[in-house]
Amino acid sequence: MDVNTPTSMTPWLHPVADDSVPVLTDELLTVGEVASLVGVSVRALHHWDEVGLVRPESRTVSGYRAYSGADVARIHRVLVYQELGFSLTRIAAILDDPTVDETEQLRHQRTLLEGRIGRLRQMADAIDRVLSSQASGTRLTAKQQAEIFGQGWREDWADEARQRWGTSEQWSQFEENAVAFSEADRIKMQEHGSALYAELAQAKRDGVAPGTDPANLLAEKHRSMVSQLFECTHSMQVCLGQLYVSDERFSAFFDEREPGLANWLAAVINANARTHGIDPDTAVWE
């Protein structure tokens, strides 16, 4: 593993020296030992056992379930798919379907993970630039916001946004991150956003239904894009989706790309949030 990989994304992996790469053995491990090894809670392992996702068949001399090397390997695969937004039901279907080429699946997921890691490294670089520029008291200008959001962004929207969110932690993150972007960064972000909106519009035209795996992955792409500017939780993403529908300016922005896109995207966000334990009807900005 690249030692620069953010450990928050891979809690079950730990950097080790090249001459001490761990290997799986036939030694049986208790649930507590496995929880410590892979970085998940005992409660989660018990739940996975109950639903049949990872169900160890071996037993300790005391009658407790014991995990083999193969069980731990399966847990690693579960964590990879979970990191990419797959539901536990979908993960179980992939792992237990003999017709699925899991090697090819994992290669594809690794490519997606590398992309996410790259975006996180870009964010870390942006933070470094913010730290070096804070002493100057530089603030994000309306022009810089227009460069980020595109030609549709108006200066009066900038003033309104500052009045609405100017005292929030997220607005501070937004300004600190965005002001640190170079012109090339802003162009890249705008191109990324345009590509994502086009992908969303095409998915709606193709009949992708909210709550399906393809729709959930698109919701995570949207949340990842927003998180380049401030940390966007699933609950906050639901609030953004509500704004896309309720504010006619946002609705017009999305519906210009595909009729009904604002409502569809909000439904996709809501369905994905439910898989992460968020009730869209009670979601708040936190």
Side-chain angles (χ1 to χ4, degrees):
M1 185 183 87
D2 184 345
V3 296
N4 293 319
T5 300
T7 55
S8 62
M9 288 182 59
T10 53
W12 61 93
L13 298 178
H14 304 280
V16 295
D18 291 341
D19 59 353
S20 60
V21 177
V23 296
L24 294 176
T25 70
D26 291 331
E27 177 185 3
L28 297 179
L29 303 174
T30 67
V31 64
E33 290 171 332
V34 172
S36 177
L37 176 66
V38 301
V40 300
S41 68
V42 170
R43 181 178 180 182
L45 291 175
H46 281 315
H47 177 63
W48 294 355
D49 186 355
E50 292 170 0
V51 299
L53 181 60
V54 181
R55 179 170 289 170
E57 298 300 329
S58 301
R59 298 276 182 172
T60 67
V61 293
S62 302
Y64 294 103
R65 291 195 182 279
Y67 290 77
S68 66
D71 295 326
V72 175
R74 183 178 173 96
I75 291 173
H76 287 325
R77 296 197 294 274
V78 169
L79 291 169
V80 169
Y81 286 121
Q82 191 176 49
E83 178 64 38
L84 290 162
F86 286 76
S87 67
L88 295 184
T89 301
R90 178 57 179 157
I91 294 171
I94 292 173
L95 297 182
D96 296 332
D97 186 348
T99 65
V100 171
D101 185 343
E102 190 181 347
T103 299
E104 187 60 32
Q105 279 270 359
L106 287 173
R107 284 174 179 159
H108 177 62
Q109 306 314 326
R110 188 184 190 284
T111 299
L112 295 178
L113 280 172
E114 287 292 344
R116 186 177 297 184
I117 290 169
R119 291 191 294 273
L120 287 172
R121 285 176 179 156
Q122 289 177 349
M123 292 178 67
D125 291 341
I127 290 174
D128 289 340
R129 293 196 296 272
V130 168
L131 291 173
S132 65
S133 65
Q134 276 183 335
S136 66
T138 305
R139 304 288 289 181
L140 186 68
T141 66
K143 179 181 178 181
Q144 288 171 323
Q145 292 178 56
E147 290 173 347
I148 293 169
F149 292 112
Q151 296 179 351
W153 182 263
R154 302 196 324 236
E155 189 169 349
D156 60 318
W157 290 11
D159 293 336
E160 181 180 331
R162 186 182 296 278
Q163 292 175 7
R164 181 182 296 186
W165 298 301
T167 60
S168 70
E169 178 183 351
Q170 289 74 31
W171 181 267
S172 297
Q173 290 180 16
F174 164 66
E175 287 205 319
E176 289 177 0
N177 289 338
V179 76
F181 291 158
S182 66
E183 182 177 356
D185 291 330
R186 296 191 182 101
I187 293 174
K188 186 175 182 179
M189 177 173 289
Q190 196 169 355
E191 291 175 345
H192 180 202
S194 296
L196 178 57
Y197 297 143
E199 187 176 4
L200 292 168
Q202 187 60 53
K204 180 184 178 299
R205 285 191 290 270
D206 291 342
V208 174
T212 60
D213 287 337
N216 289 340
L217 287 174
L218 287 172
E220 288 301 319
K221 282 186 178 183
H222 173 268
R223 192 169 69 88
S224 178
M225 181 185 70
V226 176
S227 292
Q228 293 181 64
L229 291 170
F230 59 85
E231 184 178 356
C232 182
T233 65
H234 290 97
S235 183
M236 292 162 63
Q237 188 185 24
V238 168
C239 294
L240 287 176
Q242 293 169 349
L243 185 63
Y244 296 161
V245 173
S246 63
D247 191 313
E248 61 183 13
R249 294 169 299 185
F250 283 102
S251 296
F253 173 84
F254 286 104
D255 292 352
E256 181 181 352
R257 286 150 181 78
E258 171 66 18
L261 183 58
N263 283 284
W264 178 85
L265 177 55
V268 166
I269 290 172
N270 289 348
N272 182 61
R274 289 190 185 94
T275 68
H276 293 273
I278 300 299
D279 181 357
D281 294 331
T282 59
V284 294
W285 189 264
E286 64 177 13

